[in-house]
Amino acid sequence: AKQAMHNLTQHHQKNLLQFYEETQEPVLLIGHSLGAFFALNLLELSASLIKRAVLLHPFIKAPSLSGKLILKSAASLYEK
């Protein structure tokens, strides 16, 4: 399951990079549940390509780490 999640994250990152190359504009990510989990991962991997992220009921594997992960990802948006 861990490898599958990693592969899906890489797939979404590839799509994000391709979209960015076509538009040259940072994107707005909106994710619900597992989609919010992928949005968080994309924020961590490719923050410079993301203008804003809206996370609705994010699926997070380790709830004790969720606050730190969300704050770290959100901080990258405000550094721009």
Side-chain angles (χ1 to χ4, degrees):
K2 186 176 182 180
Q3 185 62 41
M5 295 292 271
H6 176 73
N7 291 344
L8 280 171
T9 298
Q10 285 186 326
H11 174 75
H12 291 306
Q13 184 181 29
K14 179 182 171 187
N15 287 340
L16 175 65
L17 290 170
Q18 183 179 11
F19 183 81
Y20 180 79
E21 286 174 2
E22 292 173 8
T23 64
Q24 294 297 306
E25 292 287 332
V27 299
L28 165 64
L29 289 181
I30 301 173
H32 175 259
S33 188
L34 192 55
F37 170 79
F38 288 118
L40 278 172
N41 285 324
L42 290 171
L43 272 170
E44 189 172 20
L45 297 170
S46 306
S48 63
L49 306 181
I50 299 168
K51 183 176 183 177
R52 295 208 192 310
V54 177
L55 310 175
L56 305 167
H57 308 285
F59 165 84
I60 299 176
K61 294 187 289 187
S64 63
L65 300 176
S66 64
K68 291 179 183 177
L69 180 61
I70 291 170
L71 288 175
K72 179 181 173 185
S73 298
S76 68
L77 292 174
Y78 289 103
E79 292 172 354
K80 295 180 183 181

